[in-house]
Structures are given as C-alpha cells and as structure tokens.
Amino acid sequence: MSNDVRSRMRGYIRQRLDMKGDTSLLRDDDLLFSSGRLDSLDAVEIVMTIEIDHGINFADINFDLTRLDSIDAIADLIERHAVSV
C-alpha cells in the first residue's frame, strides 16, 4: 500500500503546490507546512481527502499538523490508521 499511497498523495500535493505557483521539486521528505509551502486551507483539504479516502477520523488519533508535514508523514499516518471504507 505504501507506494500507492505515496504516489496518490504526491500527485495531490503537487496539484496543491501548482495552484500556488510552486513548481519546485517535491520530495517525499520535504516539509510542506512548516516551510510555508502549504497553508491551513491546504491542511483542511488534505484532512478531508484522507478522511474520505481512508476512513480516518482525525478527532480519534491525537492529530497535530506535524503528522501532515511531508508526504512521508502522510503515508505513515495513513498506513497506521486507515480503515476499510
């Protein structure tokens, strides 16, 4: 699942960055929020996507934004908490 999750999230994050005019290289370990590349609206969109696509309830997992700060972190969060939907 890891490569598929990473690939889909990489594409989704790339779209969010492109909408902001950020065409810089995107690596899986790049910081997204703490670097300022993405903002709180992006966080809400990403959370909603993960909740819908992977059945994760962020209220149940002691969530903080650092858990979405890179593609690696997002993939790890999904792998640890995803439920069948």
Side-chain angles (χ1 to χ4, degrees):
M1 176 165 107
S2 178
N3 287 334
D4 184 45
V5 167
R6 284 178 200 281
S7 178
R8 284 186 289 142
M9 289 312 301
R10 191 179 305 111
Y12 184 72
I13 298 298
R14 179 78 265 160
Q15 288 176 346
R16 307 268 343 145
L17 292 169
D18 287 347
M19 288 188 312
K20 295 174 173 301
D22 181 341
T23 59
S24 300
L25 179 67
L26 175 63
R27 295 181 307 261
D28 287 356
D29 61 346
D30 285 348
L31 298 178
L32 303 169
F33 295 97
S34 58
S35 69
R37 291 180 80 178
L38 295 178
D39 60 26
S40 60
L41 179 58
D42 298 306
V44 170
E45 293 286 338
I46 292 168
V47 165
M48 289 174 51
T49 297
I50 293 171
E51 284 185 335
I52 291 166
D53 292 351
H54 300 282
I56 296 171
N57 182 344
F58 279 76
D60 293 341
I61 64 168
N62 195 23
F63 173 73
D64 68 67
L65 192 56
T66 61
R67 298 181 80 183
L68 296 180
D69 206 18
S70 68
I71 293 168
D72 285 340
I74 294 168
D76 183 58
L77 180 141
I78 292 169
E79 288 178 0
R80 290 176 186 252
H81 299 286
V83 296
S84 299
V85 289

